[in-house]
Amino acid sequence: MKTHFLRSPLFYVGGKEKLMPQIACYLPANIKRLIEPFVGGGSVFMNVEAEEYLLNDLNEWIIKIHRMLNSYCGREDEFFEKIFSLISHYCLSFDCNGMSSGLSSGNRSSEEIKNHNSDGYYRMRKDFNDGGMQDTMLLYLLLIYGFNHMTRFNKKGKFNLPVGNLDFNDNAFKALNDYFNQSGRKHPQWNNQDFMTFLNGIDYGKNDLVYLDPPYLITSSEYNKMWNEESERHLIIMLDDLDKRGVRFAVSNVITYCGRRNDIFGEWASQYNIHPINSHYKSYRDNSKKKKQEVLVTNY
């Protein structure tokens, strides 16, 4: 049984790398195609073996970052040369591979990192917003140095996340190298569509697996604000259709959260196999643990 699981270099809010030891126990061993309509940071595809990978997300910026990173598979030295050049250009701190810049290596406080990188970060953000937002590598650095590694845009379409208290470190370096290794070996196909259009456009075959990690209807994450009860009902109709067609699926979701209950999903899930998942995500607002019942629902 696999014991080591890889972390996505997008450090995605709600990413599944910490839950993969539990989720992997319920995934079938023989997967021809892993199909993900909500790929997010990519932790699942990085940690699951299949013959092919069809990956999708509605967030065009996340898919742009994935495609950019994939374009450097086999050219990792070139990627890191460009990354460190940009870090130097904006006078940002880093601490990896025994090298550091901007701040002394070792015990650096998060407040020191934030204060040191503030001016360079906001200059980088302005350059990205004023330059037509075509530089996806700059966007990736904004994700690394921004608050809680998020991607957030205002109503005018401008990246507006404030500076964070982390920098480019050994964790980022390792996650990127792991990503390059996995993507270079797996050759994922990337799509940028809504989940229904994506799933309806697939000609399913034997031993395909659809893994879904949709926005959660009843949690408070920024990512979940785009999801509503209508979206939830469309999701379960789509899942029932997959089941009727003999397509295997596994879907992550939350049934209860801080006294609230998702009756739409909970009642629907009772006809399938419900596997409890022990999760302890922290709120990005207050870092407190939330009482929740997370599950993985499978139809096999």
Side-chain angles (χ1 to χ4, degrees), residues 106-282:
N107 188 21
R108 307 173 304 155
S109 73
S110 57
E111 195 65 24
E112 286 176 326
I113 293 173
K114 178 180 177 179
N115 290 338
H116 174 86
N117 290 326
S118 183
D119 289 345
Y121 175 84
Y122 288 114
R123 183 161 58 94
M124 178 169 65
R125 192 179 76 174
K126 184 178 187 301
D127 286 349
F128 176 75
N129 285 331
D130 293 348
M133 300 186 290
Q134 301 302 313
D135 192 336
T136 310
M137 189 172 289
L138 211 58
L139 174 62
Y140 178 70
L141 273 184
L142 287 170
L143 181 151
I144 291 296
Y145 286 86
F147 178 71
N148 265 28
H149 299 312
M150 296 169 63
T151 55
R152 191 183 70 188
F153 294 80
N154 61 24
K155 293 180 179 179
K156 295 181 179 179
K158 301 296 185 180
F159 190 92
N160 70 344
L161 205 69
V163 65
N165 56 15
L166 296 171
D167 58 10
F168 194 93
N169 54 31
D170 285 328
N171 289 333
F173 187 76
K174 181 182 185 306
L176 281 163
N177 277 299
D178 288 338
Y179 184 96
F180 290 137
N181 289 335
Q182 294 299 313
S183 291
R185 181 171 66 85
K186 296 179 176 179
H187 306 290
Q189 300 176 40
W190 299 101
N191 298 271
N192 176 214
Q193 300 173 307
D194 70 85
F195 77 95
M196 290 187 295
T197 301
F198 172 68
L199 290 174
N200 281 327
I202 296 173
D203 182 16
Y204 296 96
K206 184 180 179 181
N207 293 333
D208 285 346
L209 174 69
V210 180
Y211 171 76
L212 308 94
D213 184 27
Y216 295 161
L217 182 63
I218 58 173
T219 64
S220 56
S221 170
E222 192 79 16
Y223 168 67
N224 298 334
K225 290 181 178 180
M226 60 181 284
W227 199 256
N228 55 35
E229 290 189 1
E230 182 181 8
S231 306
E232 195 83 354
R233 294 187 191 281
H234 284 314
L235 173 69
I236 62 178
I237 289 171
M238 181 69 70
L239 290 169
D240 283 339
D241 180 64
L242 290 176
D243 184 64
K244 290 175 183 177
R245 297 161 67 179
V247 180
R248 299 178 299 181
F249 67 71
V251 53
S252 294
N253 214 316
V254 168
I255 294 179
T256 61
Y257 176 82
C258 294
R260 301 175 63 193
R261 180 174 175 82
N262 183 347
D263 289 322
I264 297 173
F265 187 85
E267 292 175 7
W268 167 84
S270 62
Q271 64 187 305
Y272 296 106
N273 303 310
I274 302 176
H275 312 284
I277 300 293
N278 183 22
S279 64
H280 296 289
Y281 290 136
K282 293 183 179 180

